[in-house]
Amino acid sequence: MLVLGEVRTGLLQNSTALSKIDAALLLDLVMGERVRVSERPIHHATSPERLVGVDCPLSSQSRAAVRGVGTVLSRAAVTEGHVLQGSAYTRVRPGAGRRLPWAHYLGQPGQVETIGRSNDEDLAQGFLGPARPPGALDLGAICDRAMDEVQRSPRLDRRITLRTSPTSLRWVADADPSGALQFTVVSPTLRTLRVAVANERLEAAVTLCEDLALHDWLLTTLLNMIDRHLTSAAADARNVRRLRPAIDHLLHLWMPAARVDEELLPVWERMERRPGFTRQWNACVSRIRDQVTVNAIAVLSGDERQRGMTG
């Protein structure tokens, strides 16, 4: 069995971090269903999952005509009242070879059955690849729908203090205990991940990918801000001040694998070895703090000279 998923990550359109209560209310999207909240070591709230029915072509590397019918699970999440994620995923399995009544597919939530000749490798490569047949399964669009519903909430003031771009992580989890891992930066906003986990950990792989997507977005956002404001030979005080929102909103959010299943921690450990997320994050944070310190010293020195001249 194969799991296909995608995670979109961006900043919540609000001038301040939401409180724990407000974040939970924001994600109360399904009547009668509970918002899941964890507070340690970092506050994280996840909306109830929704079913999205799909009946469409599936991307395949061989470009074979494969149809997928079933349901996709989608949800939204907010981390520390600042960062919003939309997540969508489904298990793919061989079907009966013909279209069945919807009652059959609704009885197997979060599963898409294939119609047509296919295999897991062909579908995995097609899903992660650049080419898609017209109307093919688009989990990113389902993620966007979940995020848009949250962003439209009247609980948000829509005053943005930090300009950022959303990123996408498109992922495939194979039922294989080998733990193989392949992470690729496809473009400035798109990454792909293929990970092999034991069959009983396929559901836990969803949280793993959401956690990875969050930290990839944090690192990407910080790198972009440094590129915009600290690449000159001598970053002036005005540029350093523009980093203040990142210091206020982002620097305290770096807690990789805080919510990841213990059995999947080795996957994060491999990500830390290469490409080395935390090493790069720490280098960025040190650079920002050094620039803030240097400019603070320059301001104090200027004030002292000014007082000397007036004295």
Side-chain angles (χ1 to χ4, degrees):
M1 190 175 289
L2 198 67
V3 182
L4 309 180
E6 190 155 345
V7 188
R8 296 276 173 93
T9 308
L11 201 63
L12 204 59
Q13 294 176 4
N14 205 61
S15 57
T16 60
L18 294 182
S19 68
K20 298 174 183 178
I21 294 175
D22 285 339
L25 291 173
L26 184 71
L27 297 176
D28 188 12
L29 304 176
V30 181
M31 185 176 295
E33 296 290 334
R34 183 174 60 90
V35 176
R36 289 178 293 162
V37 176
S38 60
E39 297 189 7
R40 296 173 187 259
I42 191 168
H43 185 263
H44 184 87
T46 305
S47 74
E49 291 181 327
R50 282 179 167 169
L51 283 180
V52 179
V54 296
D55 183 349
C56 58
L58 298 180
S59 301
S60 64
Q61 187 179 43
S62 66
R63 302 195 179 185
V66 184
R67 179 181 175 187
V69 186
T71 57
V72 172
L73 289 168
S74 74
R75 63 196 189 194
V78 172
T79 301
E80 278 294 315
H82 275 306
V83 183
L84 173 65
Q85 291 184 292
S87 179
Y89 65 97
T90 188
R91 290 182 178 230
V92 178
R93 57 182 298 173
R98 67 185 190 281
R99 176 70 156 77
L100 299 175
W102 265 115
H104 167 77
Y105 302 108
L106 291 175
Q108 302 178 78
Q111 293 192 24
V112 166
E113 295 186 1
T114 61
I115 301 174
R117 298 186 63 179
S118 63
N119 61 70
D120 285 355
E121 183 62 25
D122 193 24
L123 294 177
Q125 294 291 349
F127 180 73
L128 297 178
R132 287 184 174 180
L137 178 66
D138 187 351
L139 297 183
I142 297 175
C143 295
D144 287 341
R145 193 184 312 166
M147 295 177 74
D148 288 345
E149 182 176 4
V150 174
Q151 298 283 32
R152 289 195 299 267
S153 171
R155 297 181 183 277
L156 303 179
D157 60 27
R158 293 183 181 79
R159 299 202 326 250
I160 302 171
T161 57
L162 179 61
R163 296 286 176 181
T164 67
S165 298
T167 59
S168 295
L169 175 69
R170 191 176 301 155
W171 60 270
V172 170
D174 301 282
D176 181 344
S178 68
L181 178 71
Q182 183 178 5
F183 177 79
T184 305
V185 178
V186 179
S187 74
T189 58
L190 175 64
R191 290 86 170 92
T192 61
L193 174 73
R194 188 164 184 184
V195 59
V197 298
N199 184 62
E200 63 272 16
R201 300 297 175 188
L202 282 173
E203 293 297 328
V206 179
T207 301
L208 168 72
C209 293
E210 290 170 349
D211 191 60
L212 176 59
L214 169 66
H215 289 84
D216 175 74
W217 178 84
L218 287 170
L219 180 58
T220 300
T221 299
L222 205 60
L223 287 170
N224 288 340
M225 295 195 71
I226 288 174
D227 187 57
R228 288 199 304 269
H229 303 309
L230 295 184
T231 52
S232 60
D236 60 27
R238 183 175 58 182
N239 280 338
V240 173
R241 282 196 300 271
R242 287 172 179 164
L243 294 171
R244 178 65 184 269
I247 297 171
D248 292 341
H249 297 341
L250 304 182
L251 297 194
H252 64 290
L253 301 184
W254 191 263
M255 292 190 185
R259 300 184 304 109
V260 173
D261 186 292
E262 187 174 355
E263 295 294 325
L264 297 183
L265 289 179
V267 176
W268 248 114
E269 290 168 2
R270 284 193 290 276
M271 290 296 300
E272 292 289 31
R273 289 196 296 269
R274 184 179 297 180
F277 273 21
T278 297
R279 288 198 305 273
Q280 193 171 13
W281 174 265
N282 289 339
C284 291
V285 171
S286 295
R287 185 174 178 186
I288 289 173
R289 286 176 174 162
D290 288 346
Q291 287 293 335
V292 170
T293 300
V294 167
N295 277 272
I297 292 172
V299 170
L300 290 174
S301 298
D303 290 344
E304 290 178 357
R305 287 197 297 270
Q306 185 66 29
R307 285 196 297 270
M309 292 172 62
T310 57

